[in-house]
Amino acid sequence: MTNLKCSVENCANYKEHRCCLPNIEVRGEESDSRYETCCASFVSKQEGVTNVVRHDDPNTELEIRCTAEKCVHHCHGDQCDANCVCVGTYSYDTQRIGETQCETFANTKLKNIHDE
C-alpha cells in the first residue's frame, strides 16, 4: 500500500488531497517524463456528480497499479514501490484523464546517469 497525495480537485473521487477509491491506475507505458503519464482512474466532477463508486472517505493508503515501465518506482508487473505518490494536473479546470499526471515519476535513464 502506498500513501497517495492528490491535487486534482476536479475529480469526482477527490477529497481533502486524497483519493476515495480503494486503488488507482497510473498509465504511461512509453513515458519518458511525468507529462506523459496520467491517472486513468480520473473521473471529471461535473455539476451534481458525486463519487462514482460511492467511496466517500479519503484513503490514506491505497494500491497503485502502474504501467510506466521507465519509472524507477515501477516493479513486479504493474506495481509501484514508491512510499508516497503525488498525482497532479497541469490544468486548473481538469476535464480529461490526459490532463492528469504522476508527479512522482522519475525516469530510470536519469537514475542510471546519476549512479555512474
Side-chain angles (χ1 to χ4, degrees), residues 2 9 39 50 52-53 66 76 79 87 93 107 109-110 112:
T2 300
E9 295 180 21
C39 179
T50 58
V52 293
V53 291
C66 180
H76 307 298
Q79 297 298 310
V87 173
D93 186 29
N107 193 311
K109 288 181 187 177
L110 296 178
N112 293 337

Side-chain angles (χ1 to χ4, degrees), residues 43-56:
V43 175
S44 180
K45 185 189 306 182
Q46 299 170 355
E47 191 173 323
V49 174
T50 58
N51 182 287
V52 293
V53 291
R54 300 194 185 269
H55 292 277
D56 297 325

Side-chain angles (χ1 to χ4, degrees), residues 37-92:
T37 64
C38 67
C39 179
S41 303
F42 170 82
V43 175
S44 180
K45 185 189 306 182
Q46 299 170 355
E47 191 173 323
V49 174
T50 58
N51 182 287
V52 293
V53 291
R54 300 194 185 269
H55 292 277
D56 297 325
D57 296 321
N59 249 338
T60 55
E61 292 186 342
L62 63 150
E63 180 182 335
I64 298 175
R65 293 184 308 266
C66 180
T67 62
E69 294 178 8
K70 294 180 184 177
C71 179
V72 297
H73 303 293
H74 184 268
C75 67
H76 307 298
D78 66 350
Q79 297 298 310
C80 176
D81 70 356
N83 291 331
C84 182
V85 171
C86 297
V87 173
T89 181
Y90 55 85
S91 172
Y92 176 74

